[in-house]
Amino acid sequence: MSTPLPGMLSVRALIFGPILEYFADDPGSLEVLLAREKLSPEILADPYAAIRLQSYLSIIEAAADLAGDPLFGARLGFSLRPGNLAPIGLRAVQAGTIRGALSAFARWSGALQSGTRSSLESEDGNLVFTYRITAPVLAPSRQDTEFSLAGICRLIRGAFDPRWRPSEIRLNHPPIPEKTRLEALFRAPVVYAHPTNAIVFSAAAAERVHRTEDPDMIALIERHLQDLTAGANRSESTVDQVEALIDLYLGVRPVDLRTIAAALRMPPRSLQRRLAEEGQSLSALLRRHRQRRARSLLAEKGMSVEAVATALGYSDGTSFWRAFRSWTGDAPSLGRETRCR
Protein backbone atom coordinates (compact mmCIF):
# COMPACT_ATOMS: atom_id res chain seq x y z
CA MET A 1 0.00 0.00 0.00
CA SER A 2 1.40 3.40 -1.02
CA THR A 3 1.72 5.94 1.80
CA PRO A 4 1.49 9.65 0.93
CA LEU A 5 4.64 11.66 1.56
CA PRO A 6 4.36 14.15 4.44
CA GLY A 7 2.65 17.28 3.17
CA MET A 8 1.59 15.65 -0.10
CA LEU A 9 -2.03 16.33 -1.02
CA SER A 10 -3.32 13.08 -2.44
CA VAL A 11 -6.24 10.82 -3.24
CA ARG A 12 -6.36 7.05 -3.12
CA ALA A 13 -6.27 5.41 -6.54
CA LEU A 14 -9.62 3.71 -5.90
CA ILE A 15 -11.26 7.12 -6.51
CA PHE A 16 -10.35 6.61 -10.17
CA GLY A 17 -12.51 3.46 -10.35
CA PRO A 18 -15.52 5.08 -12.05
CA ILE A 19 -13.27 6.87 -14.56
CA LEU A 20 -11.54 3.58 -15.38
CA GLU A 21 -14.92 1.91 -15.90
CA TYR A 22 -16.14 4.74 -18.14
CA PHE A 23 -13.11 4.45 -20.44
CA ALA A 24 -12.86 0.64 -20.24
CA ASP A 25 -13.66 0.34 -23.96
CA ASP A 26 -11.35 3.20 -24.88
CA PRO A 27 -8.01 2.50 -23.18
CA GLY A 28 -6.19 4.86 -25.53
CA SER A 29 -8.11 7.87 -24.24
CA LEU A 30 -7.46 6.78 -20.66
CA GLU A 31 -3.73 6.57 -21.32
CA VAL A 32 -3.79 10.07 -22.81
CA LEU A 33 -5.52 11.41 -19.68
CA LEU A 34 -3.01 9.75 -17.38
CA ALA A 35 -0.02 10.73 -19.52
CA ARG A 36 -0.91 14.41 -19.10
CA GLU A 37 -0.12 14.01 -15.41
CA LYS A 38 2.84 11.65 -16.02
CA LEU A 39 0.92 8.66 -14.62
CA SER A 40 0.90 5.13 -15.97
CA PRO A 41 -2.17 2.84 -15.85
CA GLU A 42 -0.16 0.41 -13.70
CA ILE A 43 -0.15 2.77 -10.73
CA LEU A 44 -3.94 2.49 -10.52
CA ALA A 45 -3.71 -1.28 -10.03
CA ASP A 46 -3.16 -0.68 -6.29
CA PRO A 47 -6.43 0.85 -5.00
CA TYR A 48 -4.59 2.45 -2.07
CA ALA A 49 -1.82 4.04 -4.14
CA ALA A 50 -1.44 7.75 -3.39
CA ILE A 51 -2.06 10.01 -6.41
CA ARG A 52 -1.48 13.77 -6.26
CA LEU A 53 -4.72 15.64 -5.59
CA GLN A 54 -3.82 18.15 -8.29
CA SER A 55 -3.41 15.34 -10.83
CA TYR A 56 -6.76 13.82 -9.94
CA LEU A 57 -8.57 17.16 -10.29
CA SER A 58 -6.94 17.82 -13.65
CA ILE A 59 -7.80 14.34 -14.92
CA ILE A 60 -11.49 14.41 -13.99
CA GLU A 61 -11.89 17.86 -15.61
CA ALA A 62 -10.07 16.66 -18.75
CA ALA A 63 -12.18 13.48 -18.78
CA ALA A 64 -15.36 15.59 -18.84
CA ASP A 65 -14.02 17.50 -21.84
CA LEU A 66 -12.99 14.28 -23.59
CA ALA A 67 -16.41 12.73 -22.95
CA GLY A 68 -18.12 15.89 -24.16
CA ASP A 69 -20.34 15.80 -21.08
CA PRO A 70 -20.49 18.86 -18.79
CA LEU A 71 -22.28 16.70 -16.19
CA PHE A 72 -19.60 13.99 -16.33
CA GLY A 73 -18.70 14.22 -12.62
CA ALA A 74 -22.30 14.08 -11.44
CA ARG A 75 -23.10 11.10 -13.68
CA LEU A 76 -20.06 9.22 -12.39
CA GLY A 77 -21.09 9.98 -8.82
CA PHE A 78 -24.52 8.46 -9.38
CA SER A 79 -22.90 5.31 -10.76
CA LEU A 80 -20.86 4.69 -7.59
CA ARG A 81 -21.10 1.53 -5.49
CA PRO A 82 -20.02 1.35 -1.82
CA GLY A 83 -17.05 -0.73 -2.91
CA ASN A 84 -15.80 2.18 -5.03
CA LEU A 85 -15.27 4.05 -1.76
CA ALA A 86 -13.96 1.15 0.29
CA PRO A 87 -13.37 1.09 3.19
CA ILE A 88 -15.12 4.39 3.94
CA GLY A 89 -18.11 3.38 1.80
CA LEU A 90 -18.35 0.07 3.62
CA ARG A 91 -18.23 1.88 6.97
CA ALA A 92 -21.03 4.22 5.88
CA VAL A 93 -23.39 1.42 4.84
CA GLN A 94 -22.86 -0.34 8.17
CA ALA A 95 -24.63 2.56 9.90
CA GLY A 96 -28.20 2.07 11.05
CA THR A 97 -29.34 5.56 9.99
CA ILE A 98 -28.56 8.07 7.27
CA ARG A 99 -27.26 10.46 9.92
CA GLY A 100 -24.90 7.78 11.20
CA ALA A 101 -23.66 7.04 7.69
CA LEU A 102 -22.86 10.66 6.88
CA SER A 103 -21.32 11.29 10.30
CA ALA A 104 -18.97 8.39 9.62
CA PHE A 105 -18.25 9.63 6.11
CA ALA A 106 -17.40 13.12 7.39
CA ARG A 107 -15.19 11.70 10.11
CA TRP A 108 -13.16 9.42 7.85
CA SER A 109 -13.12 11.33 4.55
CA GLY A 110 -9.40 12.02 4.99
CA ALA A 111 -8.72 8.32 4.46
CA LEU A 112 -9.58 8.77 0.78
CA GLN A 113 -8.58 12.32 -0.01
CA SER A 114 -6.38 14.79 1.84
CA GLY A 115 -6.71 18.54 1.64
CA THR A 116 -10.50 18.30 1.96
CA ARG A 117 -13.03 18.64 4.75
CA SER A 118 -16.58 17.32 5.19
CA SER A 119 -18.99 18.05 8.02
CA LEU A 120 -22.55 17.32 9.11
CA GLU A 121 -24.38 20.25 10.70
CA SER A 122 -27.95 21.05 11.82
CA GLU A 123 -29.87 23.89 10.19
CA ASP A 124 -33.54 24.75 10.81
CA GLY A 125 -34.80 21.18 11.14
CA ASN A 126 -32.52 19.94 8.36
CA LEU A 127 -29.10 18.38 8.24
CA VAL A 128 -26.42 19.87 5.99
CA PHE A 129 -23.56 17.73 4.70
CA THR A 130 -20.75 19.95 3.39
CA TYR A 131 -17.77 19.15 1.20
CA ARG A 132 -14.90 21.38 0.22
CA ILE A 133 -11.31 21.17 -0.96
CA THR A 134 -9.55 23.24 1.67
CA ALA A 135 -6.05 23.06 0.24
CA PRO A 136 -4.99 25.67 -2.33
CA VAL A 137 -5.00 23.95 -5.75
CA LEU A 138 -4.43 25.29 -9.24
CA ALA A 139 -6.79 22.96 -11.10
CA PRO A 140 -10.56 23.60 -11.39
CA SER A 141 -12.64 21.41 -9.08
CA ARG A 142 -16.21 21.64 -10.38
CA GLN A 143 -16.34 18.07 -11.70
CA ASP A 144 -14.93 16.72 -8.43
CA THR A 145 -17.48 18.70 -6.39
CA GLU A 146 -20.46 17.40 -8.35
CA PHE A 147 -18.98 13.90 -8.38
CA SER A 148 -18.56 13.93 -4.59
CA LEU A 149 -22.04 15.24 -3.77
CA ALA A 150 -23.64 12.89 -6.30
CA GLY A 151 -21.69 9.99 -4.80
CA ILE A 152 -23.10 10.78 -1.34
CA CYS A 153 -26.65 10.88 -2.71
CA ARG A 154 -26.07 7.58 -4.52
CA LEU A 155 -24.73 6.03 -1.32
CA ILE A 156 -27.88 7.02 0.59
CA ARG A 157 -30.24 5.79 -2.10
CA GLY A 158 -28.39 2.52 -2.53
CA ALA A 159 -27.92 1.71 1.15
CA PHE A 160 -31.02 3.22 2.76
CA ASP A 161 -33.87 4.41 0.54
CA PRO A 162 -33.98 4.44 -3.29
CA ARG A 163 -36.70 7.12 -3.15
CA TRP A 164 -34.66 9.47 -0.96
CA ARG A 165 -34.13 12.97 -2.24
CA PRO A 166 -32.44 16.01 -0.70
CA SER A 167 -34.20 19.30 -0.08
CA GLU A 168 -31.50 21.33 -1.80
CA ILE A 169 -28.06 21.05 -3.40
CA ARG A 170 -25.66 23.95 -2.83
CA LEU A 171 -22.69 24.52 -5.12
CA ASN A 172 -19.85 26.96 -4.68
CA HIS A 173 -19.28 27.45 -8.41
CA PRO A 174 -21.26 29.86 -10.64
CA PRO A 175 -24.41 28.73 -12.53
CA ILE A 176 -24.08 26.39 -15.50
CA PRO A 177 -26.39 26.08 -18.54
CA GLU A 178 -27.23 22.47 -17.63
CA LYS A 179 -28.98 23.43 -14.37
CA THR A 180 -32.27 21.65 -15.21
CA ARG A 181 -30.50 18.42 -16.13
CA LEU A 182 -28.37 18.54 -12.99
CA GLU A 183 -31.47 19.06 -10.82
CA ALA A 184 -33.06 16.01 -12.48
CA LEU A 185 -30.05 13.89 -11.47
CA PHE A 186 -30.10 15.11 -7.87
CA ARG A 187 -33.92 15.19 -7.72
CA ALA A 188 -33.62 18.52 -5.94
CA PRO A 189 -33.24 22.25 -6.65
CA VAL A 190 -29.67 23.42 -7.12
CA VAL A 191 -28.39 26.73 -5.71
CA TYR A 192 -25.21 28.14 -7.25
CA ALA A 193 -22.55 30.58 -6.01
CA HIS A 194 -23.20 29.45 -2.44
CA PRO A 195 -20.50 29.79 0.25
CA THR A 196 -20.32 26.00 0.60
CA ASN A 197 -20.86 22.84 -1.41
CA ALA A 198 -23.59 21.01 0.48
CA ILE A 199 -26.50 18.57 0.52
CA VAL A 200 -29.49 19.73 2.59
CA PHE A 201 -31.99 17.09 3.72
CA SER A 202 -34.60 16.30 6.38
CA ALA A 203 -33.19 15.62 9.84
CA ALA A 204 -36.25 13.56 10.81
CA ALA A 205 -35.85 11.18 7.86
CA ALA A 206 -32.14 10.87 8.61
CA GLU A 207 -32.92 9.48 12.09
CA ARG A 208 -35.03 6.59 10.82
CA VAL A 209 -33.45 3.21 11.69
CA HIS A 210 -32.93 1.05 8.60
CA ARG A 211 -30.84 -1.77 10.06
CA THR A 212 -29.24 -3.10 13.22
CA GLU A 213 -25.59 -2.10 13.39
CA ASP A 214 -22.87 -4.72 13.75
CA PRO A 215 -20.43 -3.21 16.29
CA ASP A 216 -17.73 -5.82 15.60
CA MET A 217 -17.76 -5.13 11.87
CA ILE A 218 -17.74 -1.37 12.46
CA ALA A 219 -14.77 -1.69 14.84
CA LEU A 220 -12.88 -3.76 12.28
CA ILE A 221 -13.46 -1.25 9.46
CA GLU A 222 -12.61 1.73 11.66
CA ARG A 223 -9.35 0.12 12.73
CA HIS A 224 -8.41 -0.07 9.05
CA LEU A 225 -9.43 3.56 8.54
CA GLN A 226 -7.31 4.61 11.51
CA ASP A 227 -4.29 3.01 9.88
CA LEU A 228 -4.98 4.84 6.62
CA THR A 229 -5.31 8.25 8.28
CA ALA A 230 -2.61 7.91 10.96
CA GLY A 231 0.23 9.29 8.86
CA ALA A 232 -1.76 12.24 7.56
CA ASN A 233 -2.98 13.19 11.03
CA ARG A 234 0.54 13.13 12.45
CA SER A 235 1.86 15.45 9.76
CA GLU A 236 -0.93 18.04 10.06
CA SER A 237 0.08 21.08 12.10
CA THR A 238 -2.27 23.19 14.20
CA VAL A 239 -2.12 25.89 11.53
CA ASP A 240 -3.12 23.32 8.88
CA GLN A 241 -6.08 22.17 10.95
CA VAL A 242 -7.23 25.71 11.71
CA GLU A 243 -6.96 26.78 8.06
CA ALA A 244 -9.04 23.75 7.04
CA LEU A 245 -11.74 24.70 9.56
CA ILE A 246 -11.72 28.33 8.45
CA ASP A 247 -12.33 27.19 4.89
CA LEU A 248 -15.10 24.86 6.01
CA TYR A 249 -16.91 27.34 8.28
CA LEU A 250 -16.40 30.65 6.47
CA GLY A 251 -19.74 32.05 5.36
CA VAL A 252 -21.61 29.30 7.22
CA ARG A 253 -20.65 29.47 10.90
CA PRO A 254 -18.84 32.01 13.09
CA VAL A 255 -15.07 31.82 12.69
CA ASP A 256 -13.90 32.75 16.16
CA LEU A 257 -11.57 31.30 18.76
CA ARG A 258 -14.31 29.54 20.71
CA THR A 259 -15.82 27.83 17.65
CA ILE A 260 -12.50 26.68 16.19
CA ALA A 261 -11.21 25.49 19.57
CA ALA A 262 -14.40 23.49 20.16
CA ALA A 263 -14.02 21.81 16.76
CA LEU A 264 -10.45 20.83 17.66
CA ARG A 265 -11.54 19.70 21.14
CA MET A 266 -9.20 21.96 23.05
CA PRO A 267 -9.56 25.04 25.28
CA PRO A 268 -9.37 28.42 23.47
CA ARG A 269 -6.22 29.38 25.41
CA SER A 270 -4.51 26.16 24.31
CA LEU A 271 -5.36 26.91 20.71
CA GLN A 272 -3.99 30.43 21.02
CA ARG A 273 -0.77 29.07 22.52
CA ARG A 274 -0.30 26.41 19.84
CA LEU A 275 -0.85 28.91 17.04
CA ALA A 276 1.60 31.33 18.67
CA GLU A 277 4.18 28.54 18.86
CA GLU A 278 3.82 28.16 15.09
CA GLY A 279 4.11 31.93 14.61
CA GLN A 280 0.45 32.54 13.77
CA SER A 281 -2.84 33.80 15.19
CA LEU A 282 -6.45 33.06 14.28
CA SER A 283 -7.05 36.63 13.08
CA ALA A 284 -4.00 36.51 10.79
CA LEU A 285 -5.01 33.14 9.34
CA LEU A 286 -8.58 34.36 8.79
CA ARG A 287 -7.37 37.51 7.04
CA ARG A 288 -4.98 35.54 4.82
CA HIS A 289 -7.67 33.04 3.88
CA ARG A 290 -10.15 35.79 3.04
CA GLN A 291 -7.60 37.52 0.83
CA ARG A 292 -6.77 34.35 -1.07
CA ARG A 293 -10.40 33.30 -1.40
CA ALA A 294 -11.49 36.80 -2.47
CA ARG A 295 -9.03 36.76 -5.38
CA SER A 296 -10.32 33.38 -6.48
CA LEU A 297 -14.02 34.28 -6.23
CA LEU A 298 -13.62 37.64 -7.97
CA ALA A 299 -12.16 35.78 -10.95
CA GLU A 300 -15.32 33.65 -11.26
CA LYS A 301 -17.89 34.74 -13.82
CA GLY A 302 -21.38 35.15 -12.38
CA MET A 303 -20.25 35.90 -8.81
CA SER A 304 -21.49 39.30 -7.63
CA VAL A 305 -19.52 41.31 -5.08
CA GLU A 306 -22.37 40.74 -2.61
CA ALA A 307 -22.13 36.97 -3.13
CA VAL A 308 -18.36 37.12 -2.59
CA ALA A 309 -18.91 39.09 0.63
CA THR A 310 -21.35 36.45 1.91
CA ALA A 311 -18.96 33.61 1.01
CA LEU A 312 -16.21 35.34 2.99
CA GLY A 313 -18.39 35.73 6.09
CA TYR A 314 -18.95 39.51 5.88
CA SER A 315 -22.27 40.96 7.00
CA ASP A 316 -22.64 43.01 3.82
CA GLY A 317 -20.86 44.16 0.69
CA THR A 318 -19.71 47.40 2.31
CA SER A 319 -17.72 45.57 4.99
CA PHE A 320 -16.04 43.46 2.32
CA TRP A 321 -15.36 46.54 0.16
CA ARG A 322 -13.54 48.23 3.06
CA ALA A 323 -11.54 45.10 3.88
CA PHE A 324 -10.54 44.54 0.26
CA ARG A 325 -9.44 48.13 -0.13
CA SER A 326 -7.34 47.86 3.03
CA TRP A 327 -5.58 44.78 1.59
CA THR A 328 -4.97 46.00 -1.92
CA GLY A 329 -5.64 49.73 -2.09
CA ASP A 330 -8.26 49.03 -4.78
CA ALA A 331 -12.01 48.43 -4.86
CA PRO A 332 -13.21 44.84 -5.46
CA SER A 333 -14.54 45.82 -8.89
CA LEU A 334 -11.07 46.94 -9.98
CA GLY A 335 -9.61 43.78 -8.46
CA ARG A 336 -12.03 41.75 -10.56
CA GLU A 337 -11.00 43.54 -13.76
CA THR A 338 -7.33 42.97 -12.98
CA ARG A 339 -7.87 39.26 -12.26
CA CYS A 340 -9.86 38.77 -15.46
CA ARG A 341 -7.13 40.42 -17.55
Side-chain angles (χ1 to χ4, degrees), residues 117 235-247 260 264 266 271 274-282 284-286 288 292:
R117 280 291 186 277
S235 64
E236 198 170 31
S237 68
T238 301
V239 167
D240 291 335
Q241 295 176 66
V242 170
E243 286 186 324
L245 288 169
I246 289 173
D247 193 86
I260 300 298
L264 295 175
M266 66 175 69
L271 176 57
R274 291 192 185 186
L275 287 174
E277 289 170 354
E278 296 180 26
Q280 289 291 349
S281 67
L282 178 59
L285 292 175
L286 177 58
R288 185 172 73 184
R292 183 173 63 231

Side-chain angles (χ1 to χ4, degrees), residues 25-66:
D25 296 330
D26 188 8
S29 294
L30 178 62
E31 289 182 9
V32 169
L33 289 172
L34 295 176
R36 291 180 182 180
E37 297 300 318
K38 297 181 173 58
L39 297 174
S40 66
E42 288 73 23
I43 194 172
L44 302 182
D46 175 6
Y48 291 113
I51 311 295
R52 289 177 61 247
L53 175 62
Q54 185 90 9
S55 295
Y56 158 69
L57 295 175
S58 297
I59 287 172
I60 192 171
E61 293 289 336
D65 292 338
L66 189 61

Side-chain angles (χ1 to χ4, degrees), residues 196-241:
T196 59
N197 302 305
I199 305 169
V200 184
F201 53 98
S202 166
E207 299 290 357
R208 179 188 166 199
V209 177
H210 290 260
R211 64 178 62 86
T212 302
E213 295 185 352
D214 183 342
D216 295 329
M217 179 62 73
I218 289 175
L220 181 64
I221 296 172
E222 290 197 345
R223 173 58 188 272
H224 183 40
L225 287 165
Q226 286 172 357
D227 292 340
L228 289 176
T229 57
N233 290 339
R234 283 196 300 269
S235 64
E236 198 170 31
S237 68
T238 301
V239 167
D240 291 335
Q241 295 176 66

Side-chain angles (χ1 to χ4, degrees), residues 263-323:
L264 295 175
R265 299 179 181 177
M266 66 175 69
R269 285 184 178 274
S270 297
L271 176 57
Q272 278 184 310
R273 184 179 66 254
R274 291 192 185 186
L275 287 174
E277 289 170 354
E278 296 180 26
Q280 289 291 349
S281 67
L282 178 59
S283 60
L285 292 175
L286 177 58
R287 181 172 61 253
R288 185 172 73 184
H289 182 87
R290 278 173 161 164
Q291 290 172 346
R292 183 173 63 231
R293 186 86 179 121
R295 288 193 294 269
S296 174
L297 291 175
L298 287 172
E300 294 276 8
K301 294 180 180 179
M303 287 286 283
S304 68
V305 172
E306 288 291 337
V308 173
T310 300
L312 297 179
Y314 289 101
S315 57
D316 51 50
T318 302
S319 299
F320 168 57
W321 188 93
R322 290 171 178 163

Side-chain angles (χ1 to χ4, degrees), residues 97-103 105-106 119-131 149 152-153 156-157 160 163-170 186-189 197-208 210:
T97 65
I98 293 174
R99 177 194 277 271
L102 295 190
S103 293
F105 201 100
S119 69
L120 188 64
E121 309 285 346
S122 298
E123 179 187 287
D124 301 327
N126 290 317
L127 290 178
V128 181
F129 179 88
T130 65
Y131 168 82
L149 296 189
I152 292 294
C153 291
I156 295 172
R157 290 173 188 168
F160 296 95
R163 299 167 300 176
W164 179 88
R165 61 177 61 202
S167 306
E168 183 177 86
I169 299 296
R170 299 171 178 172
F186 279 107
R187 303 180 198 168
N197 302 305
I199 305 169
V200 184
F201 53 98
S202 166
E207 299 290 357
R208 179 188 166 199
H210 290 260

